[in-house]
Amino acid sequence: MKVCCSLLLLSLVCVQLKANPGVKVRLTQKGLEYAKEVGLEILKKNMEKERFPDLTGYEKFGLGNVKYNISRIRVAAVEFPSASISLMPRTGIKLVIGNASLTVDMNWNIRTWMFRDSGRSTVYISKVFVTAIFSTPLDNTGHTSISLTSCRTTSGDIDIKLNGKSGFLHNFFIKYLKKPIHRSLATNSCPNIRSGIQLINEDLQSLNVLMPIDDLAEIDYSLNSLPAVFRPYIDLDLKGIIYPAGNYTDPPYAAAPFTIPDQRDSMLNLAFSEYFFQTSSFAYYTAGAFNITIAEETCSYFNISTEIFGSIIPEVAKYSVTPYPVMLKLMATETPLISLQQDSFTLEIQGSMEVFAVLPDSTTQSLFTMNIAANTSIALNIFNRKLMGSLCLNRLQFSLTHSNVGFFEVSLLENILSYILQTEVIPSANAKLSKGFPLPNLANVTLTRPHITIVQGYVLISTDVHYNY
């Protein structure tokens, strides 16, 4: 049932109660049903590969005892014709396996004071019923784990065929082999489930919830509170904060509460709040990612010089008679503002641009400084378990704040500056956005047919999943 638990517990964390999440994850009943099918298939494969310990003991027989030894036990086939999984509000998850059957091959050896024999046998166990209830409590370190709160196993019929053997005595001794098999099934089924859960918890404890995006930032996908179990779905509230790399000081924002619609057509819903993206903007602003320098050697399309600027602005031509290369330094002057509205993802950037002449001795001389207000929109897509963005420039506004060449009309420069931003700055930003934000990690699980919807306050990803065996 590893995939089921991976879907239910996407991350582990020290809990911070009463804080609104930056990211919500919802596992629907459809997702739970898929997890059940995959989990049962994994359980079948594991049972067929497992080697079981020998069973040795005594059973009373008349005036003496029957000593038995069952060895080389191997499950040849497992069938789960009926299984259901359901959510129990405020309690956990209930798994019911009904009318399961097993075919087991084994060696047997029986001995009494008057008779002994051995051979190979096939055991058919049918009408096996398992009811298990799982919860997701907090352990003493503040991490979420999976706990088996109750488990009950019953088995019905056991039919044993002693290969190549027949006769009254052999049929008589079969009942003495049935008893230890019944006991083993009754006493080991639930402990085996509990042992499997322990292995899953060990895997979950090793999950890295702090995921690097690049050299500048990383995401905290730790759980914000206990999973909330409702009848049609399970909600997981994740912290959902992007930090500057190595700096885990909380950003100067508070996450607003938000709710996502009850969409049952998809297995999994991932909702990324406006707060999540705003912390990303803050992290990259803090790291200086919005600062860029454009110089002659880095300009892709043409060489910018005082001669070009002077042909547009006479004041520059008078100030710099000798043509010099030009360097532009752009920087955000405050944290860019994210806004999520219906079908709209916008990024407002307030910044400044200082234009320098680069002198022959490599020193620079400031020509003028301008304020820039840029309105951009972001298109989202998903590739390789990452949420990727593409920036599009919608609107630019310029204003002159300081000039060493004298006053001039800013409108004269709008076309050339817009062209430089479109050809130099936007492609550079898109190259960074193309690295993408890693989505909450699901081991061996890929998203299938994901659909992105932008609504007021959050981005919703509705998707099915596929487990890679």
Side-chain angles (χ1 to χ4, degrees):
M1 304 299 291
K2 192 170 184 176
V3 66
C4 179
C5 300
S6 296
L7 285 170
L8 296 177
L9 297 177
L10 300 175
S11 52
L12 300 169
V13 58
C14 292
V15 174
Q16 297 183 349
L17 297 174
K18 299 182 181 179
N20 291 318
V23 175
K24 282 180 176 286
V25 178
R26 175 169 292 175
L27 178 66
T28 66
Q29 184 65 38
K30 181 181 179 182
L32 205 61
E33 290 294 331
Y34 178 73
K36 177 201 70 178
E37 297 299 328
V38 173
L40 291 177
E41 187 62 30
I42 292 173
L43 180 60
K44 286 172 64 174
K45 292 179 181 295
N46 288 344
M47 290 181 67
E48 290 169 0
K49 290 189 298 185
E50 189 171 351
R51 294 296 178 263
F52 298 89
D54 294 353
L55 299 176
T56 302
Y58 294 88
E59 293 290 341
K60 288 188 177 297
F61 171 58
L63 299 177
N65 291 321
V66 175
K67 181 179 181 181
Y68 63 84
N69 176 263
I70 301 173
S71 60
R72 299 186 64 184
I73 303 169
R74 186 183 69 84
V75 175
V78 185
E79 297 295 334
F80 298 118
S82 172
S84 65
I85 192 165
S86 58
L87 298 172
M88 305 171 65
R90 297 176 297 278
T91 301
I93 306 154
K94 183 178 182 180
L95 173 67
V96 177
I97 300 174
N99 206 26
S101 63
L102 297 85
T103 302
V104 180
D105 293 331
M106 64 185 188
N107 287 346
W108 59 273
N109 180 294
I110 55 176
R111 186 175 62 190
T112 70
W113 61 274
M114 58 177 288
F115 178 89
R116 68 168 57 192
D117 204 353
S118 62
R120 189 74 177 160
S121 68
T122 301
V123 181
Y124 302 95
I125 306 172
S126 61
K127 298 180 182 178
V128 178
F129 291 83
V130 179
T131 301
I133 296 176
F134 307 92
S135 63
T136 54
L138 297 177
D139 63 19
N140 56 9
T141 65
H143 287 77
T144 302
S145 59
I146 303 170
S147 175
L148 182 65
T149 55
S150 69
C151 180
R152 182 168 54 90
T153 301
T154 60
S155 60
D157 299 336
I158 295 180
D159 184 23
I160 301 176
K161 302 294 184 184
L162 303 181
N163 298 346
K165 305 289 184 178
S166 62
F168 169 75
L169 284 176
H170 289 99
N171 292 334
F172 181 76
F173 284 123
I174 281 176
K175 70 177 183 179
Y176 292 104
L177 295 177
K178 287 184 178 181
K179 290 182 179 181
I181 293 173
H182 259 300
R183 281 198 301 268
S184 178
L185 189 64
T187 58
N188 291 326
S189 295
C190 291
N192 285 341
I193 293 175
R194 188 171 282 108
S195 297
I197 290 174
Q198 179 60 37
L199 293 175
I200 293 167
N201 280 333
E202 291 174 4
D203 286 344
L204 291 173
Q205 288 284 342
S206 67
L207 286 178
N208 181 16
V209 297
L210 201 60
M211 304 178 69
I213 302 172
D214 49 33
D215 293 338
L216 300 179
E218 48 194 317
I219 304 177
D220 186 348
Y221 277 138
S222 55
L223 268 170
N224 219 28
S225 60
L226 283 170
V229 181
F230 304 95
R231 192 164 298 281
Y233 51 78
I234 296 178
D235 274 352
L236 296 96
D237 290 349
L238 309 187
K239 193 172 183 181
I241 296 179
I242 297 179
Y243 294 105
N247 180 0
Y248 306 116
T249 303
D250 284 341
Y253 310 105
F258 69 103
T259 58
I260 58 179
D262 184 9
Q263 297 184 349
R264 305 186 187 187
D265 293 338
S266 300
M267 297 179 185
L268 196 66
N269 294 320
L270 306 171
F272 295 83
S273 69
E274 194 172 86
Y275 169 80
F276 170 84
F277 293 105
Q278 190 61 52
T279 64
S280 169
S281 178
F282 178 77
Y284 281 102
Y285 171 75
T286 302
F290 291 97
N291 302 339
I292 184 171
T293 298
I294 302 173
E296 182 181 38
E297 61 272 14
T298 60
C299 196
S300 305
Y301 292 92
F302 63 92
N303 294 327
I304 49 177
S305 65
T306 55
E307 186 176 18
I308 292 175
F309 279 89
S311 66
I312 302 171
I313 305 172
E315 287 79 5
V316 173
K318 294 176 184 178
Y319 185 82
S320 178
V321 178
T322 303
Y324 294 120
V326 165
M327 179 174 66
L328 282 67
K329 286 189 174 181
L330 293 92
M331 63 180 294
T333 53
E334 58 186 71
T335 305
L337 185 64
I338 300 287
S339 177
L340 296 176
Q341 301 297 327
Q342 186 69 41
D343 301 322
S344 174
F345 189 143
T346 60
L347 176 67
E348 294 277 354
I349 304 173
Q350 301 294 328
S352 69
M353 179 177 66
E354 189 169 5
V355 180
F356 296 87
V358 182
L359 304 180
D361 61 358
S362 297
T363 60
T364 59
Q365 190 172 46
S366 177
L367 301 178
F368 55 86
T369 303
M370 307 179 73
N371 282 339
I372 302 175
N375 176 275
T376 65
S377 59
I378 298 178
L380 298 173
N381 63 84
I382 296 173
F383 179 73
N384 196 25
R385 300 189 193 181
K386 290 185 177 181
L387 181 63
M388 298 181 174
S390 178
L391 198 66
C392 177
L393 184 60
N394 298 328
R395 186 175 63 254
L396 277 172
Q397 289 181 320
F398 299 96
S399 61
L400 187 66
T401 58
H402 176 76
S403 175
N404 290 324
V405 301
F407 177 80
F408 59 88
E409 290 293 336
V410 173
S411 59
L412 298 173
L413 279 179
E414 285 184 355
N415 287 339
I416 186 172
L417 292 180
S418 296
Y419 181 77
I420 291 173
L421 292 176
Q422 289 277 20
T423 57
E424 300 296 330
V425 178
I426 297 299
S428 174
N430 283 335
K432 295 176 182 178
L433 286 172
S434 67
K435 296 179 181 179
F437 296 135
L439 296 173
N441 186 27
L442 302 170
N444 300 317
V445 173
T446 56
L447 306 183
T448 60
R449 300 179 296 279
H451 177 72
I452 300 175
T453 305
I454 302 174
V455 297
Q456 183 173 358
Y458 63 91
V459 172
L460 180 65
I461 301 174
S462 303
T463 182
D464 287 342
V465 299
H466 175 72
Y467 183 76
N468 305 302
Y469 291 93

